[in-house]
Amino acid sequence: MRTDTPQTIYRSDYTPPSYLVDTVELGFDLDPTRTVVANRLTLRRNPDSAQREIELYGEDIELVALRLNGRLLQEGDYAVNGSLLTIPNTPEEATLEIETLCVPEQNTTLSGLYTSNGNFFTQCEAEGFRRITYFPDRPDVMATYTVMLRANKERYPVLLSNGNLLEEGDLADGRHYAKWEDPFKKPSYLFALVAAQLVCQEETFRLADGRDALLQVWVEEGNLDKTDYAMQSLKHSIRWDEERYGLELDLDRFMIVATSDFNMGAMENKGLNIFNTKFVLANPRVATDIDFQGIEAVVAHEYFHNWTGNRVTCRDWFQLSLKEGLTVFRDQEFTSDMIGTELGRAVTRIDQVRTLRQAQFPEDAGPMAHPVRPDSFVEINNFYTVTVYEKGAEVVRMYQTLLGREGFRKGMDLYFERHDEQAVTCDDFRLAMADAGGRDFTQFERWYSQAGTPQLRFETRYDEAAQTYDITLFQSCPATPGQPTKLPFHIPVAVGLLDRAGRDMPLTVDGKDMGTTAVLELLEERQTFVFTGVTEQPVASVLRDFSAPVILQGGYTDADLLHLFNHDSDPVNRWEAGQRLAMGRLLKLTGETAVDAKLSLDDTFIEAMRRMLVDESLDPAFREQALLLPSETMIAEQLSEVDPLSVHVARQFMRANIGAALRTELMAQYQANLTPGPYSPDAASAGKRALKNLALSYLNAAPDEETIALAARQCVDADNMTDRAAALSTLIHARAPEAEAELARFYDEFQGEALVVDKWFAMQASAPTTDIAKVRELMRHPAFNLRNPNRARSLVANYCMNNAVQFHAPNGSGYLFWAEHVTLLDGLNPQVAARLARAMDRWRRFTPSLQVHMKTALQQVAGQQRLSNDVREVVTKALAN
Ligand code: TRP
Ligand code: ZN
């Protein structure tokens, strides 16, 4: 752990690397207590750099020997400053031979080379390669790699690295070796190795050009009954990228390896993707519909990186969204295409909007707000954020909205034509889109450089005599840290007009026929668009399909919203109207709760919900989305001062009201959406289960013997994890007497399945019945282990981020628990600790009495002498004015 003062790195300080690397040969003698790494690299001076020294980075490794063109360097021949090793007076061309030592079993950071269940794995993004060997560890240094792995054969029968296997064989003393070669140039962050006791599901798959590729999914013995879905997803992903973008797998072999100790979801190492088990292992007994969806999306995401990230990579880490925003957009489109139906697409789009509102808008409004392409950072690991990923994907989506699908594809083709095997910037991507489409995207650049969520407002005016309808759009963007004022964004605003009967009206703007949805391009702070030939007063449906990542304020009456909720042909805005109807009431209820007023809910709203619930013309998946209320976090984001208890009580009141008022219909929908027969994770079946389980939870928001019996029965009868977990969670939230015994039975049955034990912890951590004493008791459970990120997140992070009522207990006990565990985790794994630290991001918005305790807890962490850069950056920014 570094204890020196953290340094801020600026995007504007970028300079090209002093030396380029052509080839890297790595030799590993793998031993958990002492691994020897031999690295031979050939370098040549970069003509684009004025600098003459060779610069290498190394962290937490011991330098044994360093040779330059065969000559052993002495201490005075090079300088070490923190993690930077500089060799001056170096020739035009150089061969460096570097020998280092590391201790994988003591590496709890899960960055670099580490062991998990006794097996070796690596994680190099963003700056983990320097924890394996000294290297110019920056993404604009791309080289070809040859890797020799040596290890004990019995203990580590499987030896994997990037690319193709050249040869393997036995060595003396029970050891063996494998030699791998990656034919493509790559940055060091894409290097990977695995040395392990694993088994695989494999098959050959015919690619579009007729070549056969070997596909493998590697897991621990005993998990081969959970690899089918990941393999299916991989094949679907390969096909989809061929068909939609004309992009083919460029290797003969593609491997996915699962590990239970992993900081994030998965990693796109060239030809050797390494995954968190959570995004590989699934069968109906242990995984929910959401888990299956997650696997399909993450397998696709990592596979798609092979082109967007690996073949074309980032010049520097400020450009992270170049690969992440684009690849998230690609996996989102893949998910939509896999469902196929129009309403199915809308349901996935709604999921994306929810994620933005739940996580990205709060980030954009908090102390860690940053542009999609940040200007500075202390620790790059803190910038793998919902802004870079999800808002970045929205930015990419806007190109497609502006250019159309075909235009976007042309832009992608031009991007690869220009930049294959290069390390480039977000500007290069934007220019490819602009040039391919013949458009000026100069102003569009502000989506990359300005942080904060733009706010959009509209005013309308109908002129009956002239048959015109004006929409005036206004935009503004709040100040964010370091950016007090903002310039107008280039915002595509998709608009439709509904007539009195709820039908789409044909649209004409500037004499141009715009179909029934017009994409208006807002470039100024304020702009008026005139629709002509409008024969009656319409209701506007603004921001269809959520055409830009903005907050659309006001502009609608309740009557407008009901009209849209009943009729809008754009399913996303139809859903949105329901969310607005609910939000208006939730905010009112929250206010009333705070002053102990008597709560009530109007019939109009209940009736709208009733109609939606029973509308058999709509897919169950869509109805489930439409009936699900905005989360407590989303409600809190609308308030200037948050009392989490009021928000919770208000939302629960509304849920209980819906549950009681719609009891008959909910019971009927519960029965109508049962999925008898063998489980299948397909979207239609999952949609039915989602609606059925939402009905169950509404019924138990106003529980009685009958509703509890229904949940208890489902818990016992369920033949799949989706239904089992939903029923158990419902029992817990209903405070049913059966909950305890069912929790015990659940643990007994699944204690051998780590991912299910995570669910068991998570369910309890987020239950409003779990107070600080209970969470501390769970921490002492023999299955709890702070070192395993999935387990730490299941209990600690869920309590701090998903249990608002208990975490914000008035005595500050939740915050002290947070401070204690951020500190403890920081000593083990700074990346995981820093993510937990973000639970306090929005502390300044809470009731003053809570703020006092939150500030104390933040200061307690900030006051620690030994703190990683990761956590230091988060708490410093939270405390800054
Ligand atoms: N690039 C990976 C992805 O988007 C995520 C990633 C970045 C990662 N840094 C990491 C994964 C560190 C594990 C550990 O899929
Ligand atoms: Zn990614």
Side-chain angles (χ1 to χ4, degrees):
M1 180 166 323
R2 284 171 255 171
T3 47
D4 44 358
T5 33
Q7 277 211 343
T8 302
I9 313 206
Y10 295 92
R11 182 166 62 86
S12 55
D13 285 347
Y14 174 84
T15 54
S18 56
Y19 275 77
L20 302 174
V21 179
D22 290 314
T23 62
V24 183
E25 291 164 86
L26 295 170
F28 287 86
D29 282 292
L30 292 157
D31 181 328
T33 61
R34 185 179 186 278
T35 287
V36 183
V37 183
N39 172 7
R40 182 194 294 127
L41 58 163
T42 58
L43 305 106
R44 71 196 141 82
R45 198 168 275 156
N46 181 3
D48 295 335
S49 170
Q51 224 179 311
R52 306 188 68 86
E53 305 84 23
I54 292 179
E55 292 189 329
L56 310 170
Y57 297 91
E59 238 173 69
D60 276 1
I61 50 177
E62 187 187 323
L63 181 60
V64 178
L66 180 56
R67 282 188 184 77
L68 174 64
N69 290 338
R71 186 175 73 86
L72 186 68
L73 297 188
Q74 307 300 318
E75 264 187 29
D77 295 333
Y78 58 89
V80 180
N81 182 1
S83 56
L84 183 64
L85 187 156
T86 314
I87 315 174
N89 309 318
T90 39
E92 190 77 22
E93 292 189 353
T95 298
L96 276 179
E97 290 159 287
I98 308 166
E99 193 180 313
T100 52
L101 286 176
C102 61
V103 188
E105 70 173 12
Q106 275 172 24
N107 181 0
T108 58
T109 66
L110 311 184
S111 166
L113 177 63
Y114 65 93
T115 58
S116 162
N117 292 345
N119 293 323
F120 290 99
F121 297 92
T122 56
Q123 170 55 42
C124 292
E125 188 176 4
E127 297 177 336
F129 192 68
R130 64 186 64 183
R131 300 171 54 83
I132 297 174
T133 182
Y134 278 92
F135 198 79
D137 186 17
R138 40 186 289 170
D140 55 355
V141 173
M142 296 170 81
T144 55
Y145 287 62
T146 313
V147 179
M148 171 65 100
L149 303 174
R150 286 178 290 262
N152 180 281
K153 186 173 182 175
E154 214 190 327
R155 181 58 195 86
Y156 310 104
V158 178
L159 302 174
L160 310 174
S161 191
N162 315 88
N164 302 314
L165 180 63
L166 290 185
E167 56 172 288
E168 56 188 336
D170 290 338
L171 298 165
D173 306 331
R175 290 155 58 78
H176 69 148
Y177 73 91
K179 192 171 181 188
W180 292 81
E181 179 188 61
D182 182 351
F184 292 96
K185 290 202 311 179
K186 67 166 172 286
S188 50
Y189 81 85
L190 290 174
F191 166 80
L193 75 77
V194 171
Q197 221 160 68
L198 296 172
V199 289
C200 85
Q201 175 180 346
E202 65 180 355
E203 63 186 88
T204 52
F205 187 67
R206 176 80 33 100
L207 303 175
D209 73 352
R211 280 182 305 129
D212 279 331
L214 175 63
L215 310 180
Q216 297 179 319
V217 179
W218 292 91
V219 296
E220 279 182 17
E221 186 135 36
N223 281 332
L224 269 185
D225 59 343
K226 307 189 191 75
T227 52
D228 277 351
Y229 201 71
M231 180 62 92
Q232 278 298 330
S233 302
L234 177 58
K235 290 188 287 183
H236 289 149
S237 306
I238 296 174
R239 247 336 144 243
W240 184 86
D241 222 9
E242 290 173 346
E243 285 168 5
R244 175 92 181 249
Y245 288 108
L247 298 172
E248 266 194 26
L249 175 59
D250 54 9
L251 294 164
D252 302 333
R253 180 177 179 133
F254 192 87
M255 299 170 278
I256 287 177
V257 186
T259 170
S260 46
D261 291 282
F262 206 67
N263 285 346
M264 309 255 269
M267 179 63 213
E268 70 264 26
N269 317 299
K270 186 82 185 185
L272 180 57
N273 289 357
I274 298 183
F275 273 60
N276 188 324
T277 44
K278 180 174 164 53
F279 293 108
V280 176
L281 303 180
N283 64 29
R285 190 176 92 91
V286 299
T288 64
D289 293 330
I290 306 280
D291 294 329
F292 278 94
Q293 278 169 32
I295 290 167
E296 183 176 69
V298 177
V299 166
H301 180 96
E302 306 313 329
Y303 176 74
F304 297 155
H305 267 315
N306 192 51
W307 280 92
T308 51
N310 302 3
R311 284 289 285 261
V312 182
T313 196
C314 302
R315 187 192 71 172
D316 55 73
W317 290 119
F318 295 103
Q319 318 297 330
L320 182 58
S321 198
L322 173 78
K323 73 176 177 83
E324 295 304 348
L326 177 53
T327 304
V328 171
F329 170 73
R330 275 153 52 71
D331 82 55
Q332 290 176 346
E333 288 289 276
F334 166 76
T335 299
S336 288
D337 284 352
M338 291 300 289
I339 297 180
T341 66
E342 200 219 334
L343 212 51
R345 275 184 173 281
V347 169
T348 68
R349 185 70 188 129
I350 290 167
D351 273 332
Q352 295 153 18
V353 177
R354 265 191 216 287
T355 304
L356 280 171
R357 291 201 176 133
Q358 172 73 19
Q360 200 280 323
F361 289 4
E363 177 165 272
D364 235 350
M368 281 287 288
H370 54 276
V372 164
R373 183 196 56 204
D375 291 317
S376 68
F377 58 72
V378 172
E379 172 52 63
I380 182 55
N381 286 323
N382 285 333
F383 287 79
Y384 286 77
T385 59
V386 272
T387 298
V388 166
Y389 277 65
E390 267 72 23
K391 187 178 182 177
E394 292 298 316
V395 171
V396 173
R397 182 175 296 279
M398 285 190 286
Y399 290 114
Q400 183 169 277
T401 304
L402 291 166
L403 297 170
R405 263 202 195 205
E406 276 177 36
F408 183 79
R409 167 68 196 267
K410 280 192 191 140
M412 289 290 280
D413 290 349
L414 185 59
Y415 174 65
F416 289 116
E417 196 183 307
R418 285 182 180 171
H419 301 300
D420 191 17
E421 296 195 87
Q422 294 175 15
V424 303
T425 67
C426 296
D427 287 332
D428 293 317
F429 184 80
R430 182 169 52 85
L431 287 177
M433 286 293 156
D435 292 350
R439 299 260 337 217
D440 181 355
F441 282 150
T442 310
Q443 186 175 343
F444 195 84
E445 196 265 347
R446 292 176 191 157
W447 283 110
Y448 292 95
S449 59
Q450 296 186 144
T453 310
Q455 305 192 342
L456 187 67
R457 198 163 62 74
F458 70 94
E459 282 171 11
T460 63
R461 201 176 59 91
Y462 180 58
D463 184 334
E464 200 176 351
Q467 304 262 290
T468 59
Y469 185 69
D470 299 357
I471 291 192
T472 304
L473 299 173
F474 303 82
Q475 64 163 308
S476 65
C477 183
T480 47
Q483 295 186 336
T485 59
K486 312 288 166 82
L487 295 166
F489 291 87
H490 181 171
I491 308 179
V493 184
V495 175
L497 302 182
L498 273 66
D499 68 14
R500 222 167 299 137
R503 286 173 309 227
D504 271 331
M505 300 168 84
L507 306 179
T508 308
V509 180
D510 289 335
K512 246 179 54 197
D513 172 13
M514 307 277 263
T516 54
T517 297
V519 177
L520 308 177
E521 295 192 30
L522 176 63
L523 295 153
E524 316 289 330
E525 256 172 56
R526 164 201 176 122
Q527 233 169 301
T528 299
F529 300 86
V530 183
F531 293 91
T532 53
V534 183
T535 51
E536 60 173 283
Q537 165 86 51
V539 173
S541 168
V542 182
L543 208 70
R544 279 186 162 176
D545 205 39
F546 202 69
S547 60
V550 302
I551 294 171
L552 177 62
Q553 296 167 322
Y556 292 117
T557 64
D558 239 40
D560 291 344
L561 291 173
L562 279 167
H563 196 60
L564 295 172
F565 190 58
N566 291 332
H567 302 294
D568 201 330
S569 69
D570 179 68
V572 173
N573 259 6
R574 196 168 173 186
W575 163 81
E576 176 73 348
Q579 295 290 296
R580 283 173 190 275
L581 287 167
M583 183 63 90
R585 286 157 178 83
L586 286 163
L587 292 174
K588 185 164 159 283
L589 287 168
T590 301
E592 289 165 354
T593 305
V595 296
D596 275 334
K598 176 143 176 43
L599 305 182
S600 71
L601 192 59
D602 58 300
D603 288 345
T604 317
F605 178 71
I606 295 282
E607 287 316 308
M609 291 289 135
R610 189 195 311 274
R611 245 175 293 122
M612 176 56 69
L613 176 61
V614 302
D615 187 342
E616 302 286 341
S617 72
L618 297 168
D619 294 354
F622 180 78
R623 283 184 274 153
E624 192 262 344
Q625 293 275 23
L627 286 160
L628 190 61
L629 304 178
S631 70
E632 291 177 22
T633 304
M634 294 177 202
I635 302 165
E637 282 301 307
Q638 307 289 313
L639 301 166
S640 50
E641 188 183 303
V642 183
D643 168 22
L645 190 59
S646 299
V647 174
H648 179 75
V649 171
R651 189 169 182 277
Q652 284 309 113
F653 173 81
M654 187 181 267
R655 283 171 40 78
N657 253 258
I658 294 172
L662 305 187
R663 183 182 171 108
T664 311
E665 291 84 353
L666 288 164
M667 283 288 189
Q669 289 299 326
Y670 182 89
Q671 296 301 335
N673 287 287
L674 295 171
T675 47
Y679 171 92
S680 153
D682 68 88
S685 313
K688 284 187 167 192
R689 278 187 291 272
L691 183 57
K692 175 194 67 189
N693 288 326
L694 182 72
L696 185 66
S697 99
Y698 267 126
L699 287 165
N700 280 289
D704 62 25
E705 254 171 51
E706 197 188 345
T707 64
I708 287 179
L710 196 61
R713 181 102 310 266
Q714 179 171 322
C715 222
V716 172
D717 289 350
D719 67 349
N720 65 80
M721 182 52 73
T722 307
D723 286 337
R724 177 79 176 265
L728 177 52
S729 172
T730 293
L731 287 176
I732 296 170
H733 283 256
R735 298 159 202 253
E738 290 85 341
E740 196 137 337
E742 280 302 321
L743 266 170
R745 200 169 65 85
F746 188 91
Y747 183 79
D748 270 359
E749 199 172 324
F750 295 106
Q751 55 180 303
E753 299 286 350
L755 294 169
V756 186
V757 174
D758 290 338
K759 293 185 200 302
W760 184 78
F761 277 112
M763 242 182 262
Q764 297 178 78
S766 52
T769 41
T770 297
D771 60 11
I772 192 73
K774 176 71 188 172
V775 78
R776 286 189 184 275
E777 181 194 317
L778 284 167
M779 305 271 309
R780 291 189 295 271
H781 190 280
F784 187 73
N785 171 15
L786 198 62
R787 277 168 203 257
N788 176 260
N790 286 359
R791 198 54 55 84
R793 285 187 281 252
S794 73
L795 185 54
V796 185
N798 261 302
Y799 186 72
C800 296
M801 295 166 142
N802 242 329
N803 190 350
V805 171
Q806 292 292 348
F807 180 62
H808 296 284
N811 62 7
S813 55
Y815 311 143
L816 290 179
F817 174 83
W818 169 87
E820 187 183 323
H821 290 96
V822 168
T823 311
L824 268 173
L825 268 169
D826 198 39
L828 297 167
N829 188 326
Q831 284 185 44
V832 173
R835 288 198 183 255
L836 177 62
R838 303 266 327 255
M840 292 290 229
D841 260 21
R842 302 294 273 140
W843 71 277
R844 281 180 208 274
R845 297 170 52 80
F846 288 92
T847 337
S849 60
L850 293 176
Q851 274 188 42
V852 176
H853 291 303
M854 294 177 109
K855 189 171 185 181
T856 308
L858 277 161
Q859 284 169 333
Q860 183 182 320
V861 173
Q864 297 288 325
Q865 237 168 39
R866 287 169 61 85
L867 212 54
S868 66
N869 280 349
D870 310 54
V871 169
R872 171 92 52 210
E873 178 172 31
V874 172
V875 294
T876 305
K877 287 182 175 170
L879 285 167
N881 283 312

